[in-house]
């Protein structure tokens, strides 16, 4: 069968890590890795000048309106279109799916996707009380497109209960998973330590990893002065690390352009298929706190589009902002995360390889490309997550030419058809506790607990407690099934 001239293919990738807390601006970082990706493809300036689109993952280090235009100017190119993503760890795959679909449809020949963060440098500059000499914010600029969902991530009730950030919300999911296990606190934390130790071993072999050090399960899971308990049951080493200085870039083109530019076949890796969906947007609306219909349906669609099953995937990268995200994704993929023999990451994950803002998955895809070049008969799969296990994207990649044209399936209708819980906000009376997230001080003392509880009619209420005696008691075992009294004003008694 003759090749499809419109099949999208990744021909160039690059990553870089700046150590020491003195990185250049993310715009300069992006330009550097894009140039390196063009050299990786072997086509250099000829490839860059053909770019019809330059897309940049939203940058948290400084909020430029049209960062792609600034990157293009540094590169000395003038792509007809610039794109910026919204917030979310799913957005690198969103951008890849978008440009790959347009290449397949004949709208684009060459597209660049890149992202960078210098949050370690930002933190150092703040400590030293100095301004960074970066490009000023482009107040009057606007990209040609903004891609991605951009809604408030939480309800007023969730926010009032201290469910205000991923670092607090993901432990809520972990508490629900713990209740399913029925293990003791020590047993559960040991399981998480063993899971994360596997990620650290991969990071130890990754030259781009921010923390390339293999750690033991006990070292990861045991609270210590340099590994304090942050939330129940997560120590610092069970959290993603956003304070890194890292950048990554991907260059995609059509099969025809790759041949025209003489790009060596051993550089090519195809996006085979992708799946996209959002779970019910607000956590309090979801049927339970230990599953993700969106991952389930998006992964099924991506695998079906690639003509593959999860058993056919040799190289996995499961989005790893927190252990609960990995466990839930694996459950939906049909993988036992504690028994799987395949590594669950190609980079080392967001704790050890680094979690540079929204851009981790660009690094994951770049690393998958490198693995698949070395293992051209294999397939790779990457999952991507935004907000509170809210936005999901799954991509399947391979060096062999796909049997079918690239497809990016949006399966939101399947998720929307799943049950949704009503809100129990403002209800007073008895309820059944479901899960809790407890935040600890730097001294290791519990400070606030955010609790979800189910009312007799199935609605979910959210409350919080700051009572130190109650917090100490509910941190010893899963809270699921315990009867509680809601005061109707966001408080709870046990």
């Amino acid at each position: 069968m003759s090749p499809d001239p419109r099949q999208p293919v990744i021909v160039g990738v690059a990553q870089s890590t700046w150590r020491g807390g003195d990185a250049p601006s993310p715009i300069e970082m992006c330009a550097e890795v894009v140039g390196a990706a063009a050299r990786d493809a072997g086509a250099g300036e000829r490839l860059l000048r053909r770019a019809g689109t330059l897309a940049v993952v939203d940058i948290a280090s400084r909020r430029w309106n049209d960062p792609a235009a600034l990157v293009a100017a540094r590169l000395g190119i003038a792509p007809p279109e610039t794109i910026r993503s919204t917030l979310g760890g799913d957005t690198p795959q969103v951008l890849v799916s978008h440009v790959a679909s347009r290449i397949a449809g004949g709208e684009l020949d060459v597209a660049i996707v890149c992202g960078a963060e210098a949050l370690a440098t930002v933190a150092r500059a703040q400590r030293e009380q100095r301004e960074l000499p970066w490009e000023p914010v482009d107040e009057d600029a606007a990209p040609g497109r903004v891609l991605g969902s951009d809604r408030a991530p939480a309800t007023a009730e969730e926010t009032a209960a201290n469910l205000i950030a991923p670092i607090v919300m993901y432990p809520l999911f972990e508490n629900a998973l713990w209740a399913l296990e029925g293990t003791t606190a020590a047993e559960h934390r040991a399981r998480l330590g063993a899971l994360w130790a596997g990620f650290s071993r991969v990071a130890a072999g990754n030259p781009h990893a921010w923390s390339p050090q293999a750690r033991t399960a006990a070292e990861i899971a045991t609270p210590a002065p340099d590994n304090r308990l942050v939330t129940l049951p997560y120590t610092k080493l069970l959290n993603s690390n956003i304070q890194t200085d890292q950048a990554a870039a991907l260059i995609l083109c059509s099969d025809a352009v790759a041949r025209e530019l003489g790009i060596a076949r051993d550089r090519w890796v195809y996006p085979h298929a992708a799946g996209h969906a959002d779970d019910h947007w607000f956590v309090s609306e979801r049927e339970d706190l230990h599953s993700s219909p969106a991952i389930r349906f998006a992964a099924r669609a991506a695998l079906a589009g690639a003509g593959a099953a999860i058993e056919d995937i040799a190289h996995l990268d499961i989005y790893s902002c927190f252990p609960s995200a990995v466990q839930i994704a694996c459950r939906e993929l049909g993988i036992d995360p504690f028994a799987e023999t395949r590594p669950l990451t190609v980079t080392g994950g967001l704790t050890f390889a680094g979690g540079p803002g929204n851009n981790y998955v660009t690094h994951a895809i770049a690393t998958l490309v490198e693995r698949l070049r070395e293992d051209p008969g294999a397939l790779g799969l990457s999952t991507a997550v935004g907000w509170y296990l809210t936005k999901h994207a799954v991509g399947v990649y391979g060096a062999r030419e796909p049997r079918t044209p690239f497809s990016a399936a949006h399966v939101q209708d399947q998720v929307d058809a799943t049950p949704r819980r009503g809100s129990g906000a403002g209800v007073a009376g008895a309820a059944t506790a479901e899960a809790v997230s407890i935040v600890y001080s730097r001294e290791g003392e519990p400070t606030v607990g955010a609790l979800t509880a189910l009312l007799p009619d199935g609605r979910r209420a959210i409350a919080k407690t700051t009572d130190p005696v109650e917090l100490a008691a509910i941190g010893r075992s899963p809270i699921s099934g315990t009867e509680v009294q809601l005061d109707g004003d966001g408080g709870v008694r046990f």
Side-chain angles (χ1 to χ4, degrees):
M1 186 176 72
S2 60
D4 178 354
R6 297 307 317 173
Q7 197 73 264
V9 58
I10 300 173
V11 293
V13 299
Q15 304 177 65
S16 192
T17 297
W18 288 258
R19 305 186 189 279
D22 192 24
S25 81
I27 300 301
E28 186 176 342
M29 295 163 74
C30 277
E32 183 171 323
V33 290
V34 170
R39 293 189 295 276
D40 175 68
E45 290 294 325
R46 293 182 300 137
L47 184 61
L48 294 182
R49 287 195 297 269
R50 293 284 293 270
T53 290
L54 200 163
V56 174
V57 177
D58 188 64
I59 296 171
S61 303
R62 181 168 289 181
R63 307 316 289 266
W64 290 282
N65 293 329
D66 189 9
L70 299 173
V71 174
R74 273 197 171 269
L75 289 166
I77 61 175
E81 179 186 54
T82 59
I83 299 177
R84 175 177 55 79
S85 80
T86 57
L87 286 168
D90 61 312
T91 56
Q93 181 62 56
V94 168
L95 294 176
V96 169
S97 295
H98 175 78
V99 299
S101 296
R102 290 173 63 195
I103 289 170
E107 295 179 48
L108 280 173
D109 286 333
V110 177
I112 299 165
V113 175
C114 63
E117 292 291 356
L119 289 164
T121 291
V122 168
R124 179 180 174 182
Q126 289 174 342
R127 290 193 302 270
E128 296 173 355
Q129 298 183 322
R130 60 183 174 86
E131 291 291 323
L132 290 165
W134 292 354
E135 295 85 348
V137 174
D138 46 344
E139 298 284 3
D140 299 323
R145 297 184 192 223
V146 176
L147 287 182
S149 302
D150 195 14
R151 297 173 60 188
T155 66
E157 291 75 23
E158 290 168 357
T159 301
N162 199 49
L163 293 170
I164 55 174
I167 200 171
V168 185
M169 193 71 85
Y170 281 85
L172 188 74
F173 305 142
E174 189 66 56
N175 199 261
L177 289 163
W178 183 21
L180 289 179
E181 284 180 7
T183 56
T184 67
E187 289 169 339
H188 184 66
R189 190 175 282 126
R191 279 162 62 83
L192 299 184
L195 179 66
W196 241 227
F199 280 72
S200 78
R201 288 193 294 272
V202 174
N206 176 4
H208 305 294
W210 188 254
S211 300
Q213 176 186 352
R215 297 178 181 270
T216 67
E219 183 183 4
I220 291 167
T222 305
D226 61 348
N227 186 36
R228 70 182 183 88
L229 186 62
V230 178
T231 52
L232 181 73
Y234 293 159
T235 60
K236 183 178 178 181
L237 286 174
L238 289 167
N239 286 261
S240 59
N241 180 11
I242 197 173
Q243 287 193 11
T244 71
D245 294 340
Q246 295 174 297
L250 317 167
I251 302 179
L252 296 85
C253 67
S254 67
D255 182 296
V257 168
R259 294 177 190 278
E260 177 191 337
L261 294 178
I263 296 173
R265 186 62 182 79
D266 65 4
R267 302 285 87 191
W268 299 21
V269 170
Y270 293 94
H272 281 226
H276 298 263
D278 298 339
D279 273 312
H280 296 323
W281 193 263
F282 299 118
V283 169
S284 52
E285 296 178 331
R286 299 175 194 168
E287 184 177 19
D288 60 61
L289 302 178
H290 54 73
S291 68
S292 169
I295 296 178
R296 186 185 322 144
F297 296 131
R300 286 179 186 174
L303 288 165
I310 192 62
E311 295 78 17
D312 301 321
I313 304 298
H315 304 285
L316 294 163
D317 198 84
I318 308 301
Y319 196 85
S320 53
C321 50
F322 299 91
S324 59
V326 171
Q327 294 167 80
I328 290 171
C330 285
R331 287 166 61 91
E332 301 298 1
L333 288 165
I335 294 170
D336 180 346
F338 301 105
E340 178 58 52
T341 57
R342 292 169 293 184
L344 299 176
T345 178
V346 294
T347 67
L350 282 84
T351 298
F352 306 109
N358 306 303
N359 197 47
Y360 168 78
V361 171
T362 314
H363 290 266
I365 295 171
T367 306
L368 270 179
V369 167
E370 293 167 350
R371 292 285 181 87
L372 293 166
R373 286 170 172 174
E374 298 167 354
D375 190 8
L379 292 174
L381 178 145
S382 173
T383 69
V385 177
W387 283 122
Y388 308 140
L389 214 63
T390 307
K391 305 188 291 178
H392 302 280
V394 179
V396 178
Y397 298 85
R400 288 189 299 192
E401 186 181 353
R403 299 188 187 96
T404 57
F406 174 78
S407 63
H410 293 265
V411 290
Q412 194 59 45
D413 57 336
Q414 297 179 44
V415 179
D416 291 344
T418 63
R420 186 188 304 259
R421 290 193 185 272
S423 171
V427 175
T432 302
E434 181 185 29
V436 68
S437 176
I438 300 175
V439 177
Y440 292 82
S441 70
R442 290 190 172 275
E443 292 69 41
E445 298 299 322
T447 60
V448 59
L451 172 140
T452 64
L454 300 180
L455 299 170
D457 62 6
R459 288 180 294 163
R460 180 180 281 117
I462 299 176
K464 75 174 180 180
T465 178
T466 57
D467 184 294
V469 176
E470 289 183 343
L471 287 171
I474 64 179
R476 297 191 187 110
S477 61
I479 197 172
S480 176
T482 304
E483 184 173 308
V484 297
Q485 290 290 324
L486 304 171
D487 66 9
D489 195 31
V492 60
R493 289 185 294 105
F494 293 82

